[in-house]
Amino acid sequence: MKPGTTVTMEPPKVRAPNIRDVARLAGVSYQTVSRVLNNAESIKPSTKQRVLEVIEQIGYRPNQAARALVTSKSRTIGVLTSQTAHYGPTTSLHAIEDAAREAGYLITTTSLSTSDQGSITEGLEHLMAQAIEGLVVIAPQVRVFDAFRQLALTIPLVTLDSTGQDAPRSLSVDQIAGARMATNHLIELGHEDIVHVAGPRDWIEAEARMRGFLDAINAADLRTHRPVLGDWTADFGYHVGTELLDFRDFTAVFAGNDQMALGLLHAFRNAGLDVPGDISVVGFDDIPEARHFFPPLTTVRQDFAELGRRSIALLVGEIEGEEDLDHAQILPELIVRESTARARR
């Protein structure tokens, strides 16, 4: 070695503790540790407690793949989703991941490139190859459910966002009730000419919210304006807002989501109109930014996180034989802010 040469020593690699380390420190066999990890009923409480204390002390984390080989259970739940870019599905997915982790399950997610039968089958086969024990489907479009009806699944399944689809084992927010809340709020404020800017055709939520709007309008015996089909974006809301102002035969707008409502607010303000003095606006979803719109937006709040958490609770219950799920709906909540006011006569 030349004089002045600096030698850099790499620190020794620290081996992660394994099941045999736990067994040695707890004074039991590694088979006993395995039975503790799998909640076997034959283990003495004192032995179980000793093993769990050692696991906690040395920070042992079971290898999921190895456990799957021994137990024939992967403790993995698949999520098949056709949309993750929108606020609702993304929020539900995050809650699903957190809830599954707390329940001791892994999550593997596949996003569909399209909603046709081939893409759904390919996505499902990808998940099944990972030995998933249950499946959550976040499917906001009608054709996704049509495709799923043709598949014979042998694992527990929970679907989200399936209002009106009569799908077995499904969870949803009652979109129809939420749309009625929004429309009735405007009617109670004295608005008799209300326009609905709806979501895209084939979207389950868009269809349900349109139905709730029309139900409320018909129940109040008001003039029906033909709903405008949109695309969920603020750009569309702005575009249709400028076109609606060519007619001005309305005093309020119920937008199918908060992003389109944001575009409407922009269009009305650019035209020199006051919201809610001249036109009241209601949205749907209660995205985090809705309270900071100008003016803050009256909207319908959906608890997407609760939807995700509940889907995992029900799915895990079915996987472990504790609960039999059919169909359940979560009621939304009307959030009244400054974008709505009494109609001017």
Side-chain angles (χ1 to χ4, degrees):
M1 182 181 297
K2 294 181 180 181
T5 301
T6 301
V7 178
T8 301
M9 301 293 291
E10 292 187 3
K13 293 182 179 180
V14 179
R15 179 178 61 82
N18 59 38
I19 193 170
R20 294 184 184 275
D21 295 327
V22 176
R24 176 173 52 80
L25 293 172
V28 298
S29 68
Y30 75 88
Q31 292 95 335
T32 297
V33 177
S34 179
R35 287 197 293 272
V36 170
L37 292 172
N38 290 294
N39 295 315
E41 297 180 358
S42 59
I43 302 296
K44 292 181 180 179
S46 58
T47 301
K48 181 177 181 179
Q49 181 64 29
R50 187 164 70 252
V51 170
L52 292 177
E53 288 176 355
V54 170
I55 289 173
E56 180 67 25
Q57 288 169 5
I58 69 175
Y60 170 64
R61 294 294 179 267
N63 184 293
Q64 201 77 12
R67 288 184 64 183
L69 289 174
V70 174
T71 64
S72 298
K73 294 182 178 181
S74 67
R75 295 191 72 79
T76 300
I77 292 172
V79 178
L80 194 66
T81 175
S82 60
Q83 284 287 337
T84 55
H86 294 287
Y87 170 72
T90 300
T91 304
S92 293
L93 182 57
H94 289 165
I96 285 169
E97 292 170 345
D98 291 343
R101 185 166 52 249
E102 291 178 6
Y105 283 78
L106 299 175
I107 288 292
T108 180
T109 303
T110 292
S111 297
L112 300 176
S113 55
T114 63
S115 300
D116 59 31
Q117 181 72 49
S119 180
I120 293 170
T121 301
E122 181 180 345
L124 185 59
E125 288 176 348
H126 174 74
L127 292 173
M128 295 299 288
Q130 300 176 62
I132 59 172
E133 295 188 62
L135 178 66
V136 180
V137 180
I138 304 176
Q141 292 163 305
V142 175
R143 59 181 176 272
V144 175
F145 281 92
D146 291 341
F148 254 93
R149 290 190 183 98
Q150 302 177 35
L151 300 175
L153 297 179
T154 58
I155 59 173
L157 165 71
V158 174
T159 61
L160 302 189
D161 303 321
S162 53
T163 295
Q165 295 304 298
D166 296 323
R169 299 185 181 90
S170 62
L171 278 173
S172 61
V173 175
D174 193 335
Q175 308 290 316
I176 297 174
R180 288 195 192 109
M181 291 177 187
T183 310
N184 284 330
H185 171 66
L186 293 170
I187 293 171
E188 290 164 3
L189 290 173
H191 294 280
E192 297 180 353
D193 288 290
I194 305 168
V195 172
H196 177 44
V197 180
R201 188 183 302 276
D202 188 51
W203 281 65
I204 297 166
E205 292 95 333
E207 180 67 27
R209 293 170 198 176
M210 189 188 307
R211 177 178 164 188
F213 164 76
L214 294 173
D215 285 351
I217 292 295
N218 291 334
D221 198 24
L222 297 179
R223 181 163 72 103
T224 301
H225 293 260
R226 182 187 297 273
V228 181
L229 297 183
D231 64 2
W232 298 132
T233 67
D235 283 343
F236 181 85
Y238 179 82
H239 171 73
V240 76
T242 57
E243 291 194 343
L244 287 172
L245 292 178
D246 290 338
F247 302 97
R248 281 301 304 275
D249 58 348
F250 61 95
T251 62
V253 182
F254 165 39
N257 74 339
D258 292 345
Q259 283 89 350
M260 290 193 296
L262 173 61
L264 288 164
L265 293 175
H266 185 189
F268 296 158
R269 178 160 294 278
N270 271 8
L273 296 174
D274 177 67
V275 176
D278 296 312
I279 302 173
S280 287
V281 177
V282 179
F284 205 107
D285 287 338
D286 194 28
I287 62 175
E289 298 81 6
R291 71 190 67 185
H292 303 295
F293 288 1
F294 188 71
L297 184 66
T298 294
T299 184
V300 177
R301 176 178 295 166
Q302 302 192 78
D303 196 339
F304 294 108
E306 176 62 18
L307 199 64
R309 287 189 293 267
R310 195 178 294 189
S311 71
I312 289 298
L314 292 168
L315 190 60
V316 169
E318 188 173 358
I319 291 171
E320 299 180 357
E322 298 173 1
E323 191 162 356
D324 185 21
L325 170 67
D326 186 14
H327 180 86
Q329 283 192 326
I330 299 173
L331 284 176
E333 177 185 5
L334 179 69
I335 306 298
V336 179
R337 299 193 180 103
E338 290 92 327
S339 68
T340 53
R342 295 203 64 83
R344 290 179 177 175
R345 297 298 183 186

